[in-house]
Amino acid sequence: MQITRQLDLAENQTGIRIGLSVRRLRWMMAWAGIEFSEQLNLTLTSGYRDLKIMQLRSAETRDRSKKTAKHAKPDKTGAGKDLGNYSGFAHSRISAHFQAARTEYSTSTYNPIGAFLPNRLFKWIPQIAKYWFRKKHAFRDYRTHGKGTGILPIDDRVKISIAGDWGTGTDEAKIVADAIDKSDPDYTIHLGDVYYVGDGNEVRENFLGVKTSPYAPVKWPMGAKGSFALNGNHEMYADGNGYWKMVLPRMGLRQHGSEWGTGQWSSFFCLENKHWRVIGIDTGYNSTRFEWAKVPGLQRSKWLRKTTRFKPTCTLPEPLLDWLKSSVNPDGDKRGLILLSHHGPHSAFEAWYQTPAKQLAKLIHRPVIWFWGHEHRLAIYERFNVKEGIEAYGRCIGHGGMPVTRGAIPDILDSKWLAWDNRRYPSDEEINVGYNGYADFSFNGPALHIAYYDLNRSLVLTEDWHIDIESGALAGPDLKKILDDPSLHCRES
């Protein structure tokens, strides 16, 4: 109620200036011959509301940060960004650009307390306009001559480390990256999202480890043999150019002694051995539509969270589906199938993105193990399928670098959970967030061991699987709770 009253007061005080600013923008666009749509008007005003609520909820906790002083300058050389810079972050394209513009797109220090709307409206308009009125990066597939098939062999004994929503540049993202390095994986895979909008500077500082602001940059941990990256909605907020032009050329197989990989051509791939296939798919390319379930006051609507309407479709592009059908042919043998994506088909907490599951059900006719990010939490689910969707053992691991959501009780009972982590992380910023972390896959012939670690390298959960490649029978998960903590909820199998 206090937030609502403050919001109403703030809107009354600034409503006239917002209206004037929007009318000026409408005039500027008309002068340039660009149509000002009602959707854009709605996006601007709802984006402001998202931002105002975010500021009201997080200003107090950000102000207490021990690393962020009055003007948000790091207090020591090599300090990373605070989790508080992302706390309460409203997940929409417009609010992501608001945040990115406030930081001058990773070229200066953050000012988490200063407001920037409407008096700073024209500071970010030139930046965001170039993304509003420009086509997104062309979708690539493996029909391009000389770019391979996207199917790569891996050893029967191999380790793969996976993290989602890692690209924040926070100290915690750096700790997670160091923990992954210590796991000594053969391959690493990022499930997508470089914040705020995945443009060139943010990719450099929050993924490639190149300094672009007073904060210490953070570098994605490469596996000994290579690394791969999926596309997320935040990469597409900058039309995918940072992802396609800067991230992918450094991914792929890694030559001995090289810093980066030889290149990952497209946003989807398949890693396979005799017993298993790990298939990465792109749910991010079609994921930037406005989502009503993120609007304050509507966030707890189960209907909005579960419906396929009023949200991004996350539709898998046709070239990806053609590749799955003709090149991968998942029904062609009985190997175990592991899907990786940014968005998940279901959740006990947040929005469902069902369309990819329905598309995949036409190509895959047996249960899969499906890992995704997007939600900033660790949650493990029983086998489930949305209506007309593929059967999947869902695992949400979107807790790589963003402030981890905690405190909410799972209220969508259709999607039955097996485990979820609600522990409170003792951040020196004194904010109410959970533990960041990652997962290790250890393949050994038909056996798969999955270990879930937090950023301190504490082993949280494990599960074990076995695939019979003659019958296709998938046995598992044999889930075990390792860390003894009452806020780590687990139904062991």
Side-chain angles (χ1 to χ4, degrees):
M1 290 295 294
Q2 182 64 25
I3 289 174
T4 301
R5 285 195 295 268
Q6 286 182 282
L7 178 63
D8 291 341
L9 178 61
E11 287 182 340
N12 289 335
Q13 291 174 340
T14 59
I16 294 176
R17 286 183 291 163
I18 294 169
L20 287 172
S21 297
V22 171
R23 282 195 290 275
R24 288 176 190 147
L25 177 60
R26 186 191 295 268
W27 178 85
M28 290 167 59
M29 291 174 63
W31 178 79
I34 302 170
E35 180 184 359
F36 186 96
S37 66
E38 289 307 312
Q39 178 61 39
L40 179 55
N41 184 36
L42 174 64
T43 302
L44 279 168
T45 53
S46 62
Y48 168 72
R49 188 177 178 91
D50 280 355
L51 248 293
K52 202 64 187 176
I53 280 198
M54 178 200 65
Q55 289 170 335
L56 290 171
R57 284 177 173 166
S58 60
E60 180 181 358
T61 55
R62 288 175 176 177
D63 194 31
R64 289 200 303 262
S65 171
K66 296 179 181 178
K67 298 195 299 283
T68 305
K70 182 177 180 181
H71 298 293
K73 295 180 180 179
D75 66 357
K76 62 180 183 290
T77 303
K81 300 180 181 73
D82 287 356
L83 283 171
N85 287 310
Y86 301 94
S87 181
F89 180 44
H91 295 274
S92 69
R93 183 174 188 171
I94 192 73
S95 59
H97 274 287
F98 284 159
Q99 290 281 26
R102 185 186 68 189
T103 70
E104 297 182 4
Y105 291 79
S106 288
T107 59
S108 68
T109 53
Y110 287 70
N111 182 4
I113 298 187
F116 50 87
L117 263 180
N119 58 334
R120 291 185 65 187
L121 183 64
F122 290 99
K123 183 175 182 62
W124 60 261
I125 281 177
Q127 294 284 352
I128 192 172
K130 65 184 179 183
Y131 299 113
W132 277 343
F133 311 124
R134 185 173 65 187
K135 290 183 178 180
K136 60 185 178 182
H137 194 284
F139 190 78
R140 289 181 186 164
D141 60 52
Y142 295 103
R143 292 175 293 187
T144 304
H145 179 70
K147 299 304 179 181
T149 63
I151 302 175
L152 302 170
I154 57 175
D155 295 334
D156 279 349
R157 289 178 62 95
V158 68
K159 179 187 279 189
I160 302 175
S161 294
I162 296 183
D165 300 72
W166 173 87
T168 59
T170 60
D171 288 335
E172 286 72 18
K174 176 64 165 62
I175 297 171
V176 168
D178 291 343
I180 291 175
D181 271 333
K182 291 176 182 177
S183 291
D184 194 24
D186 296 292
Y187 301 93
T188 57
I189 300 175
H190 185 228
L191 299 184
D193 269 6
V194 177
Y195 296 88
Y196 291 104
V197 298
D199 77 328
N201 277 339
E202 291 178 350
V203 166
R204 289 184 186 95
E205 184 159 279
N206 297 343
F207 197 89
L208 301 181
V210 178
K211 191 173 182 65
T212 65
S213 81
Y215 288 93
V218 181
K219 184 179 179 182
W220 172 250
M222 290 289 292
K225 297 181 179 179
S227 190
F228 299 87
L230 293 180
N231 193 12
N233 53 300
H234 282 266
E235 283 86 343
M236 294 309 300
Y237 291 161
D239 302 318
N241 287 295
Y243 171 73
W244 295 92
K245 295 179 179 180
M246 300 177 67
V247 174
L248 292 192
R250 292 167 173 82
M251 297 291 100
L253 299 179
R254 184 181 186 184
Q255 295 179 345
H256 180 71
S258 61
E259 180 182 11
W260 296 104
T262 56
Q264 174 187 330
W265 175 249
S266 190
S267 56
F268 55 95
F269 56 85
C270 174
L271 309 179
E272 62 178 17
N273 59 28
K274 181 180 178 181
H275 296 90
W276 298 92
R277 308 180 96 177
V278 181
I279 304 171
I281 58 176
D282 186 349
T283 61
Y285 194 73
N286 294 311
S287 67
T288 60
R289 181 182 176 185
F290 184 77
E291 185 165 355
W292 282 95
K294 302 299 184 184
V295 173
L298 302 178
Q299 294 172 332
R300 302 316 300 166
S301 167
K302 295 180 185 179
W303 183 84
L304 276 177
R305 282 181 278 163
K306 292 173 62 177
T307 185
T308 57
R309 303 170 64 188
F310 309 112
K311 67 175 61 169
T313 63
C314 302
T315 302
L316 301 178
E318 285 300 323
L320 190 162
L321 294 172
D322 291 342
W323 170 81
L324 272 176
K325 181 178 181 180
S326 60
S327 297
V328 177
N329 186 18
D331 277 353
D333 57 50
K334 303 296 184 180
R335 284 178 284 183
L337 298 177
I338 300 171
L339 292 181
L340 308 177
S341 65
H342 183 67
H343 300 82
H346 59 270
S347 171
F349 301 88
E350 297 187 27
W352 295 20
Y353 304 94
Q354 303 182 44
T355 301
K358 296 180 180 184
Q359 293 176 288
L360 292 168
K362 299 176 182 179
L363 301 173
I364 302 174
H365 299 91
R366 64 183 189 276
V368 302
I369 310 170
W370 192 340
F371 285 80
W372 62 79
H374 193 61
E375 278 186 49
H376 306 142
R377 72 177 79 247
L378 170 62
I380 297 176
Y381 297 97
E382 292 184 3
R383 188 169 79 176
F384 179 73
N385 64 285
V386 299
K387 186 178 180 181
E388 300 178 353
I390 189 173
E391 281 194 307
Y393 296 89
R395 277 90 180 97
C396 175
I397 56 169
H399 62 321
M402 282 290 284
V404 174
T405 306
R406 65 173 305 276
I409 302 300
D411 63 345
I412 302 180
L413 303 182
D414 316 42
S415 182
K416 296 180 180 179
W417 59 268
L418 288 175
W420 57 288
D421 190 357
N422 196 40
R423 294 176 298 147
R424 179 165 180 166
Y425 172 59
S427 166
D428 62 1
E429 302 172 50
E430 302 177 24
I431 56 177
N432 184 17
V433 295
Y435 278 78
N436 296 103
Y438 64 100
D440 278 346
F441 296 179
S442 296
F443 296 90
N444 186 5
L448 168 62
H449 177 74
I450 304 175
Y452 299 89
Y453 292 92
D454 66 24
L455 76 173
N456 295 325
R457 297 203 74 217
S458 297
L459 183 57
V460 178
L461 301 162
T462 65
E463 55 180 325
D464 289 277
W465 298 85
H466 187 278
I467 186 67
D468 184 334
I469 60 173
E470 297 299 324
S471 66
L474 180 64
D478 192 16
L479 180 67
K480 292 183 173 64
K481 177 181 176 179
I482 306 301
L483 192 66
D484 185 15
D485 192 302
S487 293
L488 175 61
H489 303 273
C490 181
R491 297 167 177 162
E492 292 189 2
S493 59

